[in-house]
Amino acid sequence: MILIVAEHTNGKLSKSTLEMVSAARSAGREGPITVLVLGQGVAAIANEAAQVADQVLVADHAALAQYNAELWAAATTQIAQEGEAHTILIGGSRSGREYAPRVAVKLDAPYLEDAISLQAQGAALRAQRYTYLARVTETVEAEGAVVVVSVKPGSFPAAEATGAAGEQYDVDLDLPAARVQVTGKTVEKTSRVPLGEADVVVTGGRGVGSPENFSSLVEGLADAIGAGVGATRAVVDAGWRPYAEQVGQTGKTVQPKAYIAVGVSGAVQHLSGMGKSKYIVAINKDAEAPIFKVADYGIVGDVNVIVPALIEAARK
Amino acid sequence: MKILTLVRQVPDAEARVRVQGTTVDLEGTTLVMDGMDEYGVEEALRLRENGANVEEIVALAVGPKRVEDALRTALAMGADRAIHVETDTPLDPIALSQVVAQVAQTEGAQLILVGGQEADWDSQALGAATAERLGWPQLTWTNELNVDGDTLTGRHDVDEGNESFQATLPAVVTTQQGLNEPRYPTLPNIMKAKKKELRKDDLGQYGATPKVRVVSAEIQTRARLNKVIDGKDPQAAAQELLGLLRNEAKVIA
């Protein structure tokens, strides 16, 4: 079987899970598409998953109330072995890429990380992935009785409901004790569209000038056109914006339909996080800024003048 | 406590990357110690400087002859000695973790520091895979770390924000920006580093073979439209851009 470990937040199945179902279908490997739901109080999530999968395995367990790499790895491995899964798909989120390697080691399986495409090639499984700060696309393949794959969010279309609800089964797990204790948690909330899911992202860089300008210009424009808000590393390092908004090598990777970079110079590390956006728009007073080299549209001008004009025009 | 700090050598961020045949060719490219790993070396030094009981800091690299340079940098920053497992065979992170785990065991390391996502293979897997092989817990994307006796505390980034954590050594910690500001090696320390031990191992003794094959590699150049509007008349420029986004790109309503 093909085993997909569901990603979910706040009692809802994440879009990435639906994308993994598409990835599994596109791979062209045999066997039922099975979604494993790990967590506590996950009945509604399991029902959602049943709309797109052949079958759903539900591990509703108090110990799984909080994500933990070792527990997730142990649970996934156990179910993969019991169900004789040959292909295991895990979301390419921060947590997914944290426990997927542990599953691969436990199963002595190859690991295709952060896949953007997936295809059976005879006995092998072939994937594409980005390397070298997303400047290179590598095609990699692995053979094995079991292959573990993490799937890059936003790379596959979300699967549509099949109309026939998949069967659901409860599973028992033999879980280890958690060895990492979480002693505090800060959840960064935003009232806007989450950065990773937004069709349009407006990102501010140091060229915006100040935290106040960031609010009025970047957030102002985002609100005027219904976009998510991003920030460069320099802006986050300066303490103007929370880390959750950071786009780039050490922050989030986004691939929206339009990425509007305001006062962003375009360092390679930043480009690695947004270079795959469908359209890139640059607004910067420096016509030589590297961001213009990758831009589809750009305005050379002072962001303090251009952005307010954009906000005004967009509101009309 | 003995700390093992892993070092990869990657192209400088501004260097051009070239593909030759089916793989990336680094010949003639400026190579540096990965910035993510620098945070790890620096953190090991700071733990010692801040009073943690650090017996020895060992830098480890696996790769061709040239990665010696990255190890010399780690030694010049202050690592006590280095181990170079020399090989021209590219290893995927899962295979590489086999080498790292064995070195950690023979060295009796209790803390392994490694970059969260390195700039060559864009992978986050090495730390986690190594932790699994050793049966150790892992803390990834760490931006604050304290060691008190056997207790590890700190803060790290997770999907929805960040968490404070507590764990017991031994453990694997993956590092990232914000953890510290890595120091530059000074000239005297660069000179001193030349006398520090840099042991050469052969990959054969670790029995690690790649599990993933690279079939091909392509430089991603996507043709961009490069339509640049002069912003001298802000209102006109704004109208023109919105028009393009609405009617040509059709990305906003």
Side-chain angles (χ1 to χ4, degrees):
Chain A
M1 71 180 190
I2 300 174
L3 182 67
I4 296 171
V5 187
E7 295 206 310
H8 54 87
T9 44
N10 303 323
K12 290 199 64 171
L13 200 66
S14 302
K15 200 171 148 201
S16 61
T17 309
L18 302 174
E19 293 170 1
M20 282 191 276
V21 172
S22 294
R25 289 179 185 158
S26 77
R29 290 199 140 188
E30 283 179 13
I33 293 179
T34 306
V35 173
L36 169 64
V37 183
L38 302 172
Q40 189 184 27
V42 290
I45 295 160
N47 287 339
E48 268 189 87
Q51 302 300 307
V52 292
D54 298 323
Q55 52 182 2
V56 178
L57 306 179
V58 188
D60 207 321
H61 207 295
L64 298 174
Q66 283 252 16
Y67 163 77
N68 174 290
E70 291 178 84
L71 268 55
W72 255 242
T76 305
T77 303
Q78 187 190 324
I79 298 300
Q81 283 171 330
E82 286 173 3
E84 296 178 358
H86 52 71
T87 312
I88 301 165
L89 303 189
I90 291 171
S93 59
R94 188 155 273 172
S95 54
R97 290 172 76 181
E98 179 182 68
Y99 76 87
R102 296 192 87 118
V103 175
V105 169
K106 279 179 193 287
L107 294 170
D108 193 24
Y111 174 44
L112 302 175
E113 183 175 12
D114 219 23
I116 57 168
S117 76
L118 209 56
Q119 207 180 25
Q121 200 78 26
L125 189 59
R126 188 174 273 200
Q128 286 180 297
R129 61 183 310 265
Y130 299 130
T131 53
Y132 291 89
L133 297 173
R135 289 178 288 178
V136 175
T137 305
E138 273 184 0
T139 303
V140 291
E141 69 176 28
E143 279 157 50
V146 190
V147 179
V148 178
V149 183
S150 64
V151 178
K152 189 177 182 65
S155 306
F156 292 86
E160 309 263 348
T162 55
E167 290 283 335
Q168 294 189 30
Y169 306 92
D170 288 326
V171 293
D172 286 324
L173 294 171
D174 185 15
L175 294 169
R179 288 187 296 179
V180 174
Q181 267 85 51
V182 177
T183 52
K185 188 162 186 150
T186 312
V187 176
E188 286 164 332
K189 283 203 180 105
T190 170
S191 55
R192 295 189 181 83
V193 209
L195 192 48
E197 291 175 21
D199 279 343
V200 181
V201 170
V202 182
T203 286
R206 270 307 268 260
V208 163
S210 68
E212 294 73 29
N213 281 3
F214 197 105
S215 285
S216 63
L217 301 177
V218 180
E219 292 189 284
L221 180 58
D223 290 340
I225 59 175
V229 168
T232 63
R233 174 178 172 172
V235 158
V236 173
D237 279 353
W240 297 0
R241 303 301 295 181
Y243 176 74
E245 289 178 0
Q246 187 176 314
V247 175
Q249 186 200 2
T250 52
K252 289 195 171 73
T253 302
V254 297
Q255 204 172 340
K257 287 183 187 152
Y259 188 86
I260 304 176
V262 179
V264 172
S265 63
V268 176
Q269 291 88 342
H270 185 71
L271 299 183
S272 80
M274 47 60 83
K276 309 294 180 231
S277 303
K278 193 160 177 219
Y279 286 90
I280 295 174
V281 181
I283 304 166
N284 200 310
K285 69 177 175 207
D286 176 10
E288 301 301 313
I291 190 80
F292 282 112
K293 291 198 176 67
V294 299
D296 293 289
Y297 307 122
I299 300 180
V300 178
D302 183 354
V303 296
N304 293 299
V305 187
I306 305 292
V307 179
L310 269 172
I311 295 171
E312 200 195 319
R315 284 209 181 113
K316 272 185 191 154
Chain B
M1 156 178 70
K2 208 183 252 194
I3 303 179
L4 189 63
T5 175
L6 304 186
V7 169
R8 282 188 76 75
Q9 194 189 38
V10 301
D12 180 78
E14 302 306 322
R16 272 188 88 84
V17 177
R18 205 159 40 112
V19 169
Q20 187 83 38
T22 59
T23 53
V24 172
D25 179 13
L26 297 176
E27 193 64 43
T29 306
T30 310
L31 298 167
V32 295
M33 185 202 298
D34 193 292
M36 286 277 192
D37 294 330
E38 263 181 85
Y39 295 120
V41 176
E42 177 66 34
E43 196 61 18
L45 301 171
R46 288 192 189 204
L47 286 172
R48 170 144 71 191
E49 287 160 5
N50 294 337
N53 176 27
V54 179
E55 195 186 314
E56 199 177 28
I57 299 167
V58 181
L60 168 67
V62 180
K65 179 145 192 3
R66 57 175 166 75
V67 306
E68 257 178 48
D69 295 345
L71 286 172
R72 288 284 171 209
T73 306
L75 292 172
M77 285 174 76
D80 298 311
R81 64 189 170 87
I83 300 170
H84 179 193
V85 180
E86 199 172 321
T87 175
D88 288 325
T89 307
L91 293 178
D92 58 274
I94 302 294
L96 181 53
S97 71
Q98 227 175 309
V99 180
V100 178
Q102 286 177 64
V103 172
Q105 268 167 337
T106 51
E107 289 289 332
Q110 280 193 292
L111 176 63
I112 297 177
L113 296 167
V114 54
Q117 170 162 330
E118 277 113 334
D120 52 351
W121 54 16
D122 288 14
S123 167
Q124 302 175 7
L126 182 57
T130 303
E132 180 61 42
R133 290 202 188 275
L134 291 163
W136 294 2
Q138 86 216 49
L139 283 316
T140 54
W141 293 102
T142 308
N143 39 32
E144 187 191 310
L145 186 67
N146 314 293
V147 179
D148 186 5
D150 272 351
T151 306
L152 209 58
T153 54
R155 198 162 44 84
H156 71 149
D157 289 322
V158 294
D159 287 335
E160 321 92 322
N162 63 72
E163 276 176 4
S164 310
F165 62 76
Q166 185 176 329
T168 308
L169 290 173
V172 176
V173 170
T174 83
T175 52
Q176 65 151 329
Q177 75 173 84
L179 181 61
N180 55 47
E181 209 46 66
R183 69 196 65 188
Y184 288 105
T186 60
L187 189 60
N189 285 340
I190 293 170
M191 301 312 287
K192 259 189 245 164
K194 290 188 174 158
K195 296 201 181 88
K196 288 183 181 173
E197 181 191 324
L198 197 163
R199 189 179 93 203
K200 295 276 184 178
D201 280 6
D202 187 82
L203 182 65
Q205 71 194 79
Y206 294 97
T209 47
K211 282 184 173 293
V212 174
R213 208 167 37 244
V214 178
V215 178
S216 64
E218 271 174 73
I219 298 283
Q220 274 306 288
T221 41
R222 178 164 175 174
R224 293 286 176 184
L225 300 171
N226 294 120
K227 289 190 184 173
V228 179
I229 304 162
D230 192 319
K232 278 198 194 85
D233 181 345
Q235 273 72 29
Q239 287 294 354
E240 193 180 339
L241 177 61
L242 283 177
L244 288 167
L245 290 174
R246 281 184 179 133
N247 307 320
E248 190 176 271
K250 298 187 169 56
V251 287
I252 58 171

